Amino acid sequence: MKRIILLALLTTNVVVNTVAQTKKELRDSIVVLAREADLHPDSIELRLRKAALNLQLEQWQYAKEEYDNILTLFPNNATALYFRAFAYERMRRYDLAKNDYEHILNRIPGNFEALLALALVNQKMKRHTEALDQANRLISLHPNKALAYAARAGIEHERGLLELALYDYEEAIKRDNKNTEYYIFKVEALIDLKRYDEAMRELNQLTRMGVPRTELGELYKKCKKR
């Protein structure tokens, strides 16, 4: 599940750009925004900003409640639906997350972020066939997106479809050859396939790309234990 979680996090961005803050500063900002939102109850911007800070503090329930407030007024707001679904995922309420992602796709068919998230949440729910079908659709609609191939590879890897996963990791790397996570996932697939020499070459490539060898120590050990 590790690679699925990493890919899910890669797809999730906070809805506002904020300067790095301490937890206390974030909590203080939430108090200020909550007061402003009370004065301007119809302001989506204020509520989205507050909910984004709740997410940064991993206050999933508070974030979810703020998105509920927005969706009561504007039930088709895609941003609120997407990030409420993310909050539901973090609370392991996968069925509710699935509903929100599907709501977005009903309104915006083929939306990359929602379709990717839906594929990953179905994988978490052990709906493997649905997850793979959605990953296939994602690639057919967005064939130039490296993350689409990486996501499908992650699903295939978890299901033990190692040759298919390896192919898709390579396709992801072709489209984004700077992303070291894709190389690491490829190395893991090669090790699972017992193709240790190839895995070692990929690890050496990662060190040339600037990844500290110490971070790759466990993978190097697996290659040497063959």
Side-chain angles (χ1 to χ4, degrees):
M1 187 61 71
K2 175 185 172 185
R3 67 181 60 81
I4 293 293
I5 293 170
L6 284 172
L7 288 167
L9 291 175
L10 282 171
T11 70
T12 306
N13 301 303
V14 177
V15 292
V16 292
N17 293 321
T18 55
V19 177
Q21 294 175 291
T22 65
K23 287 187 176 181
K24 181 180 184 306
E25 289 170 335
L26 288 170
R27 286 192 290 267
D28 290 344
S29 296
I30 287 173
V31 171
V32 172
L33 286 170
R35 289 172 183 164
E36 291 184 25
D38 287 341
L39 294 173
H40 306 281
D42 293 339
S43 173
I44 295 180
E45 180 185 356
L46 288 172
R47 293 194 178 278
L48 286 175
R49 287 169 60 195
K50 177 182 175 294
L53 296 180
N54 291 135
L55 290 181
Q56 284 185 266
L57 284 170
E58 300 184 0
Q59 296 173 340
W60 314 123
Q61 182 64 31
Y62 288 136
K64 176 262 177 191
E65 289 170 1
E66 200 60 76
Y67 293 125
D68 285 345
N69 292 333
I70 296 167
L71 291 164
T72 298
L73 297 171
F74 305 96
N76 295 319
N77 184 281
T79 301
L81 283 166
Y82 182 85
F83 284 100
R84 184 174 71 176
F86 177 72
Y88 277 139
E89 282 196 62
R90 303 309 289 171
M91 293 188 286
R92 300 179 184 275
R93 299 172 71 179
Y94 299 129
D95 54 337
L96 295 175
K98 184 173 184 287
N99 289 341
D100 278 351
Y101 292 134
E102 288 175 341
H103 188 156
I104 295 170
L105 289 167
N106 285 335
R107 301 288 300 180
I108 316 171
N111 177 267
F112 180 81
E113 289 79 8
L115 189 54
L116 172 59
L118 182 59
L120 296 178
V121 81
N122 271 308
Q123 182 72 353
K124 291 176 185 176
M125 295 172 75
K126 309 300 181 185
R127 297 171 179 262
H128 303 302
T129 301
E130 284 184 54
L132 197 52
D133 286 347
Q134 285 148 2
N136 290 335
R137 183 174 173 228
L138 188 69
I139 287 173
S140 71
L141 292 172
H142 305 277
N144 296 319
K145 293 273 193 180
L147 187 54
Y149 287 92
R152 187 170 72 176
I155 292 168
E156 292 162 339
H157 200 154
E158 294 241 327
R159 294 186 64 185
L161 305 172
L162 298 178
E163 292 287 356
L164 292 175
L166 181 60
Y167 170 84
D168 277 338
Y169 288 137
E170 289 171 346
E171 290 298 308
I173 290 168
K174 285 179 187 177
R175 290 160 177 78
D176 182 4
N177 61 12
K178 304 294 184 186
N179 190 313
T180 56
E181 290 288 352
Y182 298 161
Y183 286 90
I184 290 172
F185 297 154
K186 180 181 176 182
V187 168
E188 290 175 344
L190 287 168
I191 290 172
D192 290 342
L193 285 163
K194 304 188 188 309
R195 289 160 62 173
Y196 300 109
D197 290 339
E198 292 176 63
M200 187 68 78
R201 286 197 292 272
E202 294 293 335
L203 287 172
N204 292 337
Q205 172 65 18
L206 278 165
T207 60
R208 288 192 293 271
M209 292 171 68
V211 178
R213 192 180 176 95
T214 53
E215 292 184 13
L216 304 171
E218 288 302 314
L219 294 173
Y220 270 112
K221 285 180 185 177
K222 289 179 181 179
C223 289
K224 291 176 180 177
K225 284 181 180 178
R226 51 186 162 156

